[in-house]
Amino acid sequence: MRIPPALNVHRHDTDNRTLVTLTGEIDLNSAPLVRTSLERCLHDGIRAIDVDVTAVTFCDCSGLNAFLYALLHTAAAGGSLRLVHPSPALERLVTLTGSGSLFLTLPDALAGSRPPSQLPPLYEAAHRPTPPAWPARLGGVL
């Protein structure tokens, strides 16, 4: 017996842009719903997708994989996908996996709010300078 996902999806379209609001938990059981919902946007001709994850209470690697899958397909179709207002836990997951530069966190574009005066945390973490890589010496290990 399959347990229904503890996730609600709401979509609000404006021209060729949409805001998908997710509420609840994204895990192995509900990640297919995320993937299907975002694929449906592309199928319907939407090329700019903002995903409001403010009310996502849990997201594991299955959820991140669904977002990355949608991002790849959206980019291949000439579109963009952004995660809007991630929780600190989701920000950490995205940052730890090195995928922070792929998702930009900006205010809800449909509400007409202005961009923040500083760069969003996900963007800053993804573009933080990394120390130079030192080449290993022959026969040795660093």
Side-chain angles (χ1 to χ4, degrees):
M1 180 168 114
R2 183 168 180 207
I3 299 172
L7 180 72
N8 292 310
V9 179
H10 177 75
R11 180 174 148 185
H12 177 76
D13 296 344
T14 306
D15 297 325
N16 70 340
R17 176 174 218 94
T18 192
L19 175 66
V20 176
T21 303
L22 303 176
T23 305
E25 298 181 358
I26 306 173
D27 58 15
L28 187 60
N29 292 321
S30 60
L33 177 59
V34 173
R35 184 179 293 193
T36 302
S37 298
L38 298 176
E39 282 177 358
R40 171 60 65 188
C41 295
L42 292 176
H43 182 266
D44 293 344
I46 303 293
R47 294 296 177 260
I49 304 170
D50 296 319
V51 183
D52 185 349
V53 291
T54 304
V56 170
T57 56
F58 176 81
C59 182
D60 65 7
C61 59
S62 301
L64 179 60
N65 189 39
F67 290 134
L68 291 170
Y69 179 86
L71 178 69
L72 289 174
H73 286 259
T74 304
S80 65
L81 184 135
R82 299 184 301 175
L83 296 181
V84 181
H85 306 297
S87 68
L90 183 54
E91 271 190 61
R92 182 167 167 76
L93 177 63
V94 169
T95 301
L96 286 174
T97 60
S99 56
S101 64
L102 303 174
F103 301 107
L104 295 178
T105 308
L106 296 174
D108 178 0
L110 299 175
S113 57
R114 294 174 41 155
S117 58
Q118 64 184 26
L119 292 174
L122 281 178
Y123 186 86
E124 288 176 353
H127 291 88
R128 192 172 293 133
T130 56
W134 299 99
R137 288 187 280 155
L138 292 176
V141 178
L142 283 181

